[in-house]
Amino acid sequence: MKSVQGVHHITCISGDAQENVDFYTGVMGMRLVKRSVNQDAPDTYHLFYADAEGRPGTDLTFFPWPGMPPARAGVGLTMEVALAVPANSLGFWAERLGRAGMKAGEPVTRFGERTLTVMDPHGLPLALVETDQREDFAPWTGSPVPEERQVRGLHGVRLWERSSAPTQQFITQALGFSALGEEQGWQRFIVAGGGSGRFIDLAEVPNVPRGAWGVGGVHHVAWRTPDDTSQLELREQVQTVGRRPTPVIDRFWFKSIYFTEPGGVLFEIATDGPGFAIDEDPETLGEKLILPPWLEPQRAEIESNLPVLTGARDMERGARGA
């Protein structure tokens, strides 16, 4: 059976686009590696934050929809995004977030990993998790965060399910996950050997209402596959177990298929390549609006509907010195 290789990217919904840039580049120290638009709704940005090279597995992305209501927590949604940070760095992050006006929770241990939880400025639940497993990370020299403290990539996700059994069956039969263990009501499933970026946590909450997309929520979770051939094999596996994947959609920087898992969470399977440098100099990633070729004829109209973005401000100054 073909397996996904871990998280490719996670796409969330934010409020004001400039506030989103200020926080993720200025406070979290991630690099804005692609400034584009939602290809299905090009009147809004699609902002991609990652390591210096925009490697698959490091990429947290946002659709800024400030007019949308706040996300409603509930079943059928991804309830938390975990980011990998270096071992022994939670003290640094708690202080830095505090300087930026963000109140982090007390550190806890989950499945043997020290974890710090915080909400971003628009209400997205984040977990910073210490790990020494992300050696493939490319540090960003322009980050306000020292290299030895920088976010290493996506660590994992947590989902609420009304009944977890159908989702468990689906991710093991169609995506190649296997059960690792259970802790405090959370069941962890791993893929590709497990470790940072290669797990999903499920909690069964039968009495919780269905959640709803909104500002501060996760839109979808994308899983990695190396190439077109493996993506088609995975698509067939998804279809065989009764889900309805989309045809392959060319996103230019990668190819995608989409489907909902049995509990209702939107999943994507995305190819590792060709990558963000296919249409932009690696040294200047994210500095200007990049459109896929089929949207270039609409550039003037698209740009007129988008707010002007500047480099990180305000919150970065508040966090400086942490």
PDB file of all heavy atoms in Angstrom, residues 150-186:
ATOM      1  N   GLN A 150      14.693  28.970  15.888  1.00  0.00           N
ATOM      2  CA  GLN A 150      13.668  29.128  14.864  1.00  0.00           C
ATOM      3  C   GLN A 150      12.724  27.929  14.767  1.00  0.00           C
ATOM      4  O   GLN A 150      13.101  26.786  15.043  1.00  0.00           O
ATOM      5  CB  GLN A 150      14.332  29.359  13.503  1.00  0.00           C
ATOM      6  CG  GLN A 150      14.986  30.717  13.367  1.00  0.00           C
ATOM      7  CD  GLN A 150      15.659  30.912  12.014  1.00  0.00           C
ATOM      8  OE1 GLN A 150      15.374  30.217  11.050  1.00  0.00           O
ATOM      9  NE2 GLN A 150      16.575  31.877  11.956  1.00  0.00           N
ATOM     10  N   VAL A 151      11.485  28.219  14.345  1.00  0.00           N
ATOM     11  CA  VAL A 151      10.506  27.172  14.055  1.00  0.00           C
ATOM     12  C   VAL A 151      11.074  26.270  12.967  1.00  0.00           C
ATOM     13  O   VAL A 151      11.520  26.739  11.921  1.00  0.00           O
ATOM     14  CB  VAL A 151       9.170  27.791  13.604  1.00  0.00           C
ATOM     15  CG1 VAL A 151       8.202  26.712  13.136  1.00  0.00           C
ATOM     16  CG2 VAL A 151       8.554  28.617  14.726  1.00  0.00           C
ATOM     17  N   ARG A 152      11.061  24.972  13.224  1.00  0.00           N
ATOM     18  CA  ARG A 152      11.663  23.995  12.302  1.00  0.00           C
ATOM     19  C   ARG A 152      10.701  23.477  11.244  1.00  0.00           C
ATOM     20  O   ARG A 152      11.127  22.901  10.256  1.00  0.00           O
ATOM     21  CB  ARG A 152      12.184  22.807  13.106  1.00  0.00           C
ATOM     22  CG  ARG A 152      13.653  22.775  13.486  1.00  0.00           C
ATOM     23  CD  ARG A 152      14.254  24.061  13.885  1.00  0.00           C
ATOM     24  NE  ARG A 152      15.697  23.907  14.157  1.00  0.00           N
ATOM     25  CZ  ARG A 152      16.497  24.901  14.440  1.00  0.00           C
ATOM     26  NH1 ARG A 152      16.027  26.128  14.516  1.00  0.00           N
ATOM     27  NH2 ARG A 152      17.779  24.707  14.665  1.00  0.00           N
ATOM     28  N   GLY A 153       9.414  23.624  11.472  1.00  0.00           N
ATOM     29  CA  GLY A 153       8.454  23.106  10.497  1.00  0.00           C
ATOM     30  C   GLY A 153       7.169  22.701  11.180  1.00  0.00           C
ATOM     31  O   GLY A 153       6.937  22.986  12.368  1.00  0.00           O
ATOM     32  N   LEU A 154       6.310  22.033  10.446  1.00  0.00           N
ATOM     33  CA  LEU A 154       5.038  21.555  10.967  1.00  0.00           C
ATOM     34  C   LEU A 154       5.269  20.267  11.750  1.00  0.00           C
ATOM     35  O   LEU A 154       5.908  19.345  11.249  1.00  0.00           O
ATOM     36  CB  LEU A 154       4.062  21.313   9.819  1.00  0.00           C
ATOM     37  CG  LEU A 154       3.787  22.531   8.933  1.00  0.00           C
ATOM     38  CD1 LEU A 154       2.964  22.135   7.719  1.00  0.00           C
ATOM     39  CD2 LEU A 154       3.076  23.626   9.723  1.00  0.00           C
ATOM     40  N   HIS A 155       4.732  20.207  12.953  1.00  0.00           N
ATOM     41  CA  HIS A 155       4.960  19.038  13.805  1.00  0.00           C
ATOM     42  C   HIS A 155       3.821  18.030  13.710  1.00  0.00           C
ATOM     43  O   HIS A 155       4.044  16.829  13.610  1.00  0.00           O
ATOM     44  CB  HIS A 155       5.148  19.495  15.244  1.00  0.00           C
ATOM     45  CG  HIS A 155       5.649  18.426  16.163  1.00  0.00           C
ATOM     46  ND1 HIS A 155       6.891  17.833  16.015  1.00  0.00           N
ATOM     47  CD2 HIS A 155       5.068  17.818  17.247  1.00  0.00           C
ATOM     48  CE1 HIS A 155       7.063  16.925  16.968  1.00  0.00           C
ATOM     49  NE2 HIS A 155       5.971  16.901  17.725  1.00  0.00           N
ATOM     50  N   GLY A 156       2.570  18.510  13.734  1.00  0.00           N
ATOM     51  CA  GLY A 156       1.430  17.609  13.653  1.00  0.00           C
ATOM     52  C   GLY A 156       0.131  18.374  13.785  1.00  0.00           C
ATOM     53  O   GLY A 156       0.121  19.600  13.915  1.00  0.00           O
ATOM     54  N   VAL A 157      -0.988  17.642  13.767  1.00  0.00           N
ATOM     55  CA  VAL A 157      -2.308  18.260  13.881  1.00  0.00           C
ATOM     56  C   VAL A 157      -3.175  17.440  14.826  1.00  0.00           C
ATOM     57  O   VAL A 157      -2.946  16.242  15.027  1.00  0.00           O
ATOM     58  CB  VAL A 157      -3.021  18.379  12.510  1.00  0.00           C
ATOM     59  CG1 VAL A 157      -2.347  19.419  11.638  1.00  0.00           C
ATOM     60  CG2 VAL A 157      -3.072  17.032  11.794  1.00  0.00           C
ATOM     61  N   ARG A 158      -4.187  18.105  15.395  1.00  0.00           N
ATOM     62  CA  ARG A 158      -5.148  17.454  16.282  1.00  0.00           C
ATOM     63  C   ARG A 158      -6.556  17.681  15.745  1.00  0.00           C
ATOM     64  O   ARG A 158      -6.926  18.817  15.436  1.00  0.00           O
ATOM     65  CB  ARG A 158      -5.030  17.983  17.709  1.00  0.00           C
ATOM     66  CG  ARG A 158      -3.693  17.649  18.363  1.00  0.00           C
ATOM     67  CD  ARG A 158      -3.701  17.815  19.865  1.00  0.00           C
ATOM     68  NE  ARG A 158      -2.972  16.696  20.472  1.00  0.00           N
ATOM     69  CZ  ARG A 158      -2.914  16.458  21.777  1.00  0.00           C
ATOM     70  NH1 ARG A 158      -3.548  17.238  22.621  1.00  0.00           N
ATOM     71  NH2 ARG A 158      -2.236  15.414  22.226  1.00  0.00           N
ATOM     72  N   LEU A 159      -7.330  16.596  15.635  1.00  0.00           N
ATOM     73  CA  LEU A 159      -8.683  16.634  15.088  1.00  0.00           C
ATOM     74  C   LEU A 159      -9.685  16.182  16.139  1.00  0.00           C
ATOM     75  O   LEU A 159      -9.409  15.246  16.905  1.00  0.00           O
ATOM     76  CB  LEU A 159      -8.807  15.685  13.886  1.00  0.00           C
ATOM     77  CG  LEU A 159      -8.342  16.143  12.504  1.00  0.00           C
ATOM     78  CD1 LEU A 159      -6.883  16.559  12.496  1.00  0.00           C
ATOM     79  CD2 LEU A 159      -8.591  15.029  11.486  1.00  0.00           C
ATOM     80  N   TRP A 160     -10.844  16.825  16.152  1.00  0.00           N
ATOM     81  CA  TRP A 160     -11.983  16.355  16.941  1.00  0.00           C
ATOM     82  C   TRP A 160     -12.911  15.574  16.025  1.00  0.00           C
ATOM     83  O   TRP A 160     -13.232  16.034  14.914  1.00  0.00           O
ATOM     84  CB  TRP A 160     -12.757  17.547  17.510  1.00  0.00           C
ATOM     85  CG  TRP A 160     -12.191  18.101  18.770  1.00  0.00           C
ATOM     86  CD1 TRP A 160     -11.086  17.688  19.454  1.00  0.00           C
ATOM     87  CD2 TRP A 160     -12.726  19.192  19.519  1.00  0.00           C
ATOM     88  NE1 TRP A 160     -10.886  18.441  20.571  1.00  0.00           N
ATOM     89  CE2 TRP A 160     -11.884  19.379  20.640  1.00  0.00           C
ATOM     90  CE3 TRP A 160     -13.828  20.034  19.352  1.00  0.00           C
ATOM     91  CZ2 TRP A 160     -12.117  20.381  21.589  1.00  0.00           C
ATOM     92  CZ3 TRP A 160     -14.056  21.029  20.285  1.00  0.00           C
ATOM     93  CH2 TRP A 160     -13.218  21.205  21.394  1.00  0.00           C
ATOM     94  N   GLU A 161     -13.365  14.418  16.500  1.00  0.00           N
ATOM     95  CA  GLU A 161     -14.274  13.574  15.725  1.00  0.00           C
ATOM     96  C   GLU A 161     -15.455  13.154  16.604  1.00  0.00           C
ATOM     97  O   GLU A 161     -15.274  12.835  17.785  1.00  0.00           O
ATOM     98  CB  GLU A 161     -13.554  12.311  15.238  1.00  0.00           C
ATOM     99  CG  GLU A 161     -12.322  12.565  14.391  1.00  0.00           C
ATOM    100  CD  GLU A 161     -12.636  12.995  12.971  1.00  0.00           C
ATOM    101  OE1 GLU A 161     -13.832  13.123  12.638  1.00  0.00           O
ATOM    102  OE2 GLU A 161     -11.696  13.196  12.191  1.00  0.00           O
ATOM    103  N   ARG A 162     -16.649  13.133  16.030  1.00  0.00           N
ATOM    104  CA  ARG A 162     -17.802  12.619  16.786  1.00  0.00           C
ATOM    105  C   ARG A 162     -17.633  11.133  17.054  1.00  0.00           C
ATOM    106  O   ARG A 162     -17.888  10.640  18.141  1.00  0.00           O
ATOM    107  CB  ARG A 162     -19.096  12.881  16.015  1.00  0.00           C
ATOM    108  CG  ARG A 162     -20.337  12.341  16.721  1.00  0.00           C
ATOM    109  CD  ARG A 162     -21.608  12.986  16.216  1.00  0.00           C
ATOM    110  NE  ARG A 162     -21.711  14.368  16.671  1.00  0.00           N
ATOM    111  CZ  ARG A 162     -21.843  15.416  15.864  1.00  0.00           C
ATOM    112  NH1 ARG A 162     -21.872  15.243  14.553  1.00  0.00           N
ATOM    113  NH2 ARG A 162     -21.940  16.642  16.356  1.00  0.00           N
ATOM    114  N   SER A 163     -17.185  10.411  16.045  1.00  0.00           N
ATOM    115  CA  SER A 163     -16.821   9.004  16.197  1.00  0.00           C
ATOM    116  C   SER A 163     -15.490   8.818  15.489  1.00  0.00           C
ATOM    117  O   SER A 163     -15.390   9.086  14.291  1.00  0.00           O
ATOM    118  CB  SER A 163     -17.891   8.087  15.580  1.00  0.00           C
ATOM    119  OG  SER A 163     -17.458   6.749  15.571  1.00  0.00           O
ATOM    120  N   SER A 164     -14.475   8.384  16.229  1.00  0.00           N
ATOM    121  CA  SER A 164     -13.148   8.318  15.625  1.00  0.00           C
ATOM    122  C   SER A 164     -12.904   7.047  14.827  1.00  0.00           C
ATOM    123  O   SER A 164     -11.992   7.001  14.006  1.00  0.00           O
ATOM    124  CB  SER A 164     -12.069   8.463  16.706  1.00  0.00           C
ATOM    125  OG  SER A 164     -12.094   7.371  17.592  1.00  0.00           O
ATOM    126  N   ALA A 165     -13.702   6.003  15.040  1.00  0.00           N
ATOM    127  CA  ALA A 165     -13.447   4.720  14.379  1.00  0.00           C
ATOM    128  C   ALA A 165     -13.428   4.830  12.851  1.00  0.00           C
ATOM    129  O   ALA A 165     -12.512   4.295  12.204  1.00  0.00           O
ATOM    130  CB  ALA A 165     -14.464   3.681  14.832  1.00  0.00           C
ATOM    131  N   PRO A 166     -14.395   5.498  12.201  1.00  0.00           N
ATOM    132  CA  PRO A 166     -14.338   5.599  10.734  1.00  0.00           C
ATOM    133  C   PRO A 166     -13.083   6.331  10.241  1.00  0.00           C
ATOM    134  O   PRO A 166     -12.500   5.946   9.227  1.00  0.00           O
ATOM    135  CB  PRO A 166     -15.612   6.368  10.376  1.00  0.00           C
ATOM    136  CG  PRO A 166     -16.542   6.124  11.508  1.00  0.00           C
ATOM    137  CD  PRO A 166     -15.660   6.074  12.725  1.00  0.00           C
ATOM    138  N   THR A 167     -12.672   7.372  10.960  1.00  0.00           N
ATOM    139  CA  THR A 167     -11.467   8.093  10.560  1.00  0.00           C
ATOM    140  C   THR A 167     -10.232   7.236  10.764  1.00  0.00           C
ATOM    141  O   THR A 167      -9.319   7.225   9.916  1.00  0.00           O
ATOM    142  CB  THR A 167     -11.353   9.412  11.342  1.00  0.00           C
ATOM    143  OG1 THR A 167     -12.480  10.237  11.016  1.00  0.00           O
ATOM    144  CG2 THR A 167     -10.068  10.149  10.996  1.00  0.00           C
ATOM    145  N   GLN A 168     -10.172   6.518  11.874  1.00  0.00           N
ATOM    146  CA  GLN A 168      -9.052   5.602  12.107  1.00  0.00           C
ATOM    147  C   GLN A 168      -8.932   4.594  10.971  1.00  0.00           C
ATOM    148  O   GLN A 168      -7.833   4.335  10.455  1.00  0.00           O
ATOM    149  CB  GLN A 168      -9.231   4.867  13.429  1.00  0.00           C
ATOM    150  CG  GLN A 168      -9.146   5.740  14.652  1.00  0.00           C
ATOM    151  CD  GLN A 168      -9.420   4.939  15.919  1.00  0.00           C
ATOM    152  OE1 GLN A 168      -9.061   3.772  16.023  1.00  0.00           O
ATOM    153  NE2 GLN A 168     -10.065   5.564  16.882  1.00  0.00           N
ATOM    154  N   GLN A 169     -10.063   4.015  10.608  1.00  0.00           N
ATOM    155  CA  GLN A 169     -10.055   3.021   9.529  1.00  0.00           C
ATOM    156  C   GLN A 169      -9.609   3.640   8.219  1.00  0.00           C
ATOM    157  O   GLN A 169      -8.813   3.055   7.473  1.00  0.00           O
ATOM    158  CB  GLN A 169     -11.447   2.405   9.385  1.00  0.00           C
ATOM    159  CG  GLN A 169     -11.541   1.285   8.365  1.00  0.00           C
ATOM    160  CD  GLN A 169     -12.927   0.669   8.315  1.00  0.00           C
ATOM    161  OE1 GLN A 169     -13.933   1.345   8.514  1.00  0.00           O
ATOM    162  NE2 GLN A 169     -12.989  -0.628   8.062  1.00  0.00           N
ATOM    163  N   PHE A 170     -10.087   4.853   7.944  1.00  0.00           N
ATOM    164  CA  PHE A 170      -9.737   5.506   6.688  1.00  0.00           C
ATOM    165  C   PHE A 170      -8.252   5.835   6.605  1.00  0.00           C
ATOM    166  O   PHE A 170      -7.594   5.530   5.608  1.00  0.00           O
ATOM    167  CB  PHE A 170     -10.559   6.787   6.515  1.00  0.00           C
ATOM    168  CG  PHE A 170     -10.108   7.626   5.364  1.00  0.00           C
ATOM    169  CD1 PHE A 170     -10.380   7.247   4.063  1.00  0.00           C
ATOM    170  CD2 PHE A 170      -9.367   8.789   5.564  1.00  0.00           C
ATOM    171  CE1 PHE A 170      -9.939   8.002   2.987  1.00  0.00           C
ATOM    172  CE2 PHE A 170      -8.926   9.548   4.510  1.00  0.00           C
ATOM    173  CZ  PHE A 170      -9.218   9.144   3.207  1.00  0.00           C
ATOM    174  N   ILE A 171      -7.700   6.459   7.645  1.00  0.00           N
ATOM    175  CA  ILE A 171      -6.302   6.887   7.534  1.00  0.00           C
ATOM    176  C   ILE A 171      -5.351   5.700   7.515  1.00  0.00           C
ATOM    177  O   ILE A 171      -4.253   5.794   6.949  1.00  0.00           O
ATOM    178  CB  ILE A 171      -5.916   7.898   8.643  1.00  0.00           C
ATOM    179  CG1 ILE A 171      -6.022   7.288  10.029  1.00  0.00           C
ATOM    180  CG2 ILE A 171      -6.747   9.167   8.506  1.00  0.00           C
ATOM    181  CD1 ILE A 171      -5.556   8.223  11.143  1.00  0.00           C
ATOM    182  N   THR A 172      -5.754   4.561   8.118  1.00  0.00           N
ATOM    183  CA  THR A 172      -4.888   3.381   8.071  1.00  0.00           C
ATOM    184  C   THR A 172      -5.010   2.652   6.737  1.00  0.00           C
ATOM    185  O   THR A 172      -4.008   2.199   6.176  1.00  0.00           O
ATOM    186  CB  THR A 172      -5.198   2.424   9.232  1.00  0.00           C
ATOM    187  OG1 THR A 172      -6.582   2.087   9.240  1.00  0.00           O
ATOM    188  CG2 THR A 172      -4.840   3.069  10.557  1.00  0.00           C
ATOM    189  N   GLN A 173      -6.217   2.581   6.184  1.00  0.00           N
ATOM    190  CA  GLN A 173      -6.428   1.831   4.946  1.00  0.00           C
ATOM    191  C   GLN A 173      -6.083   2.623   3.691  1.00  0.00           C
ATOM    192  O   GLN A 173      -5.652   2.042   2.692  1.00  0.00           O
ATOM    193  CB  GLN A 173      -7.878   1.356   4.859  1.00  0.00           C
ATOM    194  CG  GLN A 173      -8.246   0.304   5.890  1.00  0.00           C
ATOM    195  CD  GLN A 173      -9.669  -0.194   5.719  1.00  0.00           C
ATOM    196  OE1 GLN A 173     -10.440   0.315   4.908  1.00  0.00           O
ATOM    197  NE2 GLN A 173     -10.028  -1.211   6.493  1.00  0.00           N
ATOM    198  N   ALA A 174      -6.271   3.947   3.728  1.00  0.00           N
ATOM    199  CA  ALA A 174      -6.086   4.741   2.509  1.00  0.00           C
ATOM    200  C   ALA A 174      -4.810   5.565   2.509  1.00  0.00           C
ATOM    201  O   ALA A 174      -4.267   5.849   1.440  1.00  0.00           O
ATOM    202  CB  ALA A 174      -7.283   5.672   2.301  1.00  0.00           C
ATOM    203  N   LEU A 175      -4.319   5.965   3.691  1.00  0.00           N
ATOM    204  CA  LEU A 175      -3.175   6.876   3.742  1.00  0.00           C
ATOM    205  C   LEU A 175      -1.932   6.248   4.351  1.00  0.00           C
ATOM    206  O   LEU A 175      -0.859   6.863   4.317  1.00  0.00           O
ATOM    207  CB  LEU A 175      -3.547   8.149   4.511  1.00  0.00           C
ATOM    208  CG  LEU A 175      -4.749   8.941   3.975  1.00  0.00           C
ATOM    209  CD1 LEU A 175      -4.958  10.202   4.803  1.00  0.00           C
ATOM    210  CD2 LEU A 175      -4.594   9.265   2.502  1.00  0.00           C
ATOM    211  N   GLY A 176      -2.064   5.049   4.937  1.00  0.00           N
ATOM    212  CA  GLY A 176      -0.884   4.340   5.430  1.00  0.00           C
ATOM    213  C   GLY A 176      -0.493   4.611   6.864  1.00  0.00           C
ATOM    214  O   GLY A 176       0.608   4.264   7.280  1.00  0.00           O
ATOM    215  N   PHE A 177      -1.380   5.215   7.665  1.00  0.00           N
ATOM    216  CA  PHE A 177      -1.073   5.461   9.066  1.00  0.00           C
ATOM    217  C   PHE A 177      -1.195   4.179   9.885  1.00  0.00           C
ATOM    218  O   PHE A 177      -1.883   3.235   9.485  1.00  0.00           O
ATOM    219  CB  PHE A 177      -2.026   6.511   9.651  1.00  0.00           C
ATOM    220  CG  PHE A 177      -1.704   7.933   9.256  1.00  0.00           C
ATOM    221  CD1 PHE A 177      -2.159   8.456   8.051  1.00  0.00           C
ATOM    222  CD2 PHE A 177      -0.970   8.746  10.100  1.00  0.00           C
ATOM    223  CE1 PHE A 177      -1.877   9.766   7.691  1.00  0.00           C
ATOM    224  CE2 PHE A 177      -0.678  10.055   9.757  1.00  0.00           C
ATOM    225  CZ  PHE A 177      -1.129  10.564   8.545  1.00  0.00           C
ATOM    226  N   SER A 178      -0.555   4.170  11.046  1.00  0.00           N
ATOM    227  CA  SER A 178      -0.702   3.079  12.002  1.00  0.00           C
ATOM    228  C   SER A 178      -0.808   3.658  13.400  1.00  0.00           C
ATOM    229  O   SER A 178      -0.298   4.752  13.679  1.00  0.00           O
ATOM    230  CB  SER A 178       0.480   2.109  11.920  1.00  0.00           C
ATOM    231  OG  SER A 178       1.699   2.773  12.205  1.00  0.00           O
ATOM    232  N   ALA A 179      -1.490   2.940  14.297  1.00  0.00           N
ATOM    233  CA  ALA A 179      -1.712   3.431  15.653  1.00  0.00           C
ATOM    234  C   ALA A 179      -0.418   3.404  16.453  1.00  0.00           C
ATOM    235  O   ALA A 179       0.339   2.432  16.400  1.00  0.00           O
ATOM    236  CB  ALA A 179      -2.776   2.591  16.334  1.00  0.00           C
ATOM    237  N   LEU A 180      -0.162   4.479  17.208  1.00  0.00           N
ATOM    238  CA  LEU A 180       1.003   4.540  18.071  1.00  0.00           C
ATOM    239  C   LEU A 180       0.629   4.349  19.530  1.00  0.00           C
ATOM    240  O   LEU A 180       1.287   3.622  20.266  1.00  0.00           O
ATOM    241  CB  LEU A 180       1.721   5.882  17.905  1.00  0.00           C
ATOM    242  CG  LEU A 180       2.924   6.099  18.836  1.00  0.00           C
ATOM    243  CD1 LEU A 180       4.057   5.142  18.458  1.00  0.00           C
ATOM    244  CD2 LEU A 180       3.402   7.531  18.793  1.00  0.00           C
ATOM    245  N   GLY A 181      -0.437   5.023  19.979  1.00  0.00           N
ATOM    246  CA  GLY A 181      -0.820   4.913  21.378  1.00  0.00           C
ATOM    247  C   GLY A 181      -1.903   5.912  21.725  1.00  0.00           C
ATOM    248  O   GLY A 181      -2.369   6.680  20.883  1.00  0.00           O
ATOM    249  N   GLU A 182      -2.306   5.907  23.000  1.00  0.00           N
ATOM    250  CA  GLU A 182      -3.366   6.785  23.479  1.00  0.00           C
ATOM    251  C   GLU A 182      -2.914   7.454  24.763  1.00  0.00           C
ATOM    252  O   GLU A 182      -2.231   6.847  25.593  1.00  0.00           O
ATOM    253  CB  GLU A 182      -4.655   5.999  23.724  1.00  0.00           C
ATOM    254  CG  GLU A 182      -5.829   6.853  24.139  1.00  0.00           C
ATOM    255  CD  GLU A 182      -7.134   6.081  24.199  1.00  0.00           C
ATOM    256  OE1 GLU A 182      -7.143   4.900  23.813  1.00  0.00           O
ATOM    257  OE2 GLU A 182      -8.139   6.673  24.638  1.00  0.00           O
ATOM    258  N   GLU A 183      -3.291   8.728  24.907  1.00  0.00           N
ATOM    259  CA  GLU A 183      -2.906   9.494  26.085  1.00  0.00           C
ATOM    260  C   GLU A 183      -3.942  10.572  26.339  1.00  0.00           C
ATOM    261  O   GLU A 183      -4.222  11.399  25.459  1.00  0.00           O
ATOM    262  CB  GLU A 183      -1.527  10.122  25.867  1.00  0.00           C
ATOM    263  CG  GLU A 183      -1.013  10.940  27.030  1.00  0.00           C
ATOM    264  CD  GLU A 183       0.341  11.564  26.723  1.00  0.00           C
ATOM    265  OE1 GLU A 183       1.362  10.866  26.897  1.00  0.00           O
ATOM    266  OE2 GLU A 183       0.373  12.734  26.291  1.00  0.00           O
ATOM    267  N   GLN A 184      -4.534  10.562  27.515  1.00  0.00           N
ATOM    268  CA  GLN A 184      -5.483  11.595  27.946  1.00  0.00           C
ATOM    269  C   GLN A 184      -6.564  11.866  26.904  1.00  0.00           C
ATOM    270  O   GLN A 184      -6.911  13.013  26.617  1.00  0.00           O
ATOM    271  CB  GLN A 184      -4.729  12.882  28.294  1.00  0.00           C
ATOM    272  CG  GLN A 184      -3.753  12.707  29.444  1.00  0.00           C
ATOM    273  CD  GLN A 184      -3.025  13.980  29.817  1.00  0.00           C
ATOM    274  OE1 GLN A 184      -3.045  14.965  29.079  1.00  0.00           O
ATOM    275  NE2 GLN A 184      -2.359  13.979  30.958  1.00  0.00           N
ATOM    276  N   GLY A 185      -7.113  10.797  26.356  1.00  0.00           N
ATOM    277  CA  GLY A 185      -8.214  10.904  25.415  1.00  0.00           C
ATOM    278  C   GLY A 185      -7.807  11.153  23.971  1.00  0.00           C
ATOM    279  O   GLY A 185      -8.673  11.206  23.087  1.00  0.00           O
ATOM    280  N   TRP A 186      -6.522  11.289  23.708  1.00  0.00           N
ATOM    281  CA  TRP A 186      -6.031  11.496  22.341  1.00  0.00           C
ATOM    282  C   TRP A 186      -5.375  10.212  21.831  1.00  0.00           C
ATOM    283  O   TRP A 186      -4.567   9.612  22.529  1.00  0.00           O
ATOM    284  CB  TRP A 186      -5.017  12.630  22.288  1.00  0.00           C
ATOM    285  CG  TRP A 186      -5.626  13.976  22.486  1.00  0.00           C
ATOM    286  CD1 TRP A 186      -5.709  14.675  23.655  1.00  0.00           C
ATOM    287  CD2 TRP A 186      -6.249  14.791  21.497  1.00  0.00           C
ATOM    288  NE1 TRP A 186      -6.343  15.871  23.452  1.00  0.00           N
ATOM    289  CE2 TRP A 186      -6.688  15.970  22.132  1.00  0.00           C
ATOM    290  CE3 TRP A 186      -6.486  14.633  20.125  1.00  0.00           C
ATOM    291  CZ2 TRP A 186      -7.347  16.995  21.452  1.00  0.00           C
ATOM    292  CZ3 TRP A 186      -7.132  15.661  19.447  1.00  0.00           C
ATOM    293  CH2 TRP A 186      -7.563  16.814  20.103  1.00  0.00           C
TER     294      TRP A 186
END
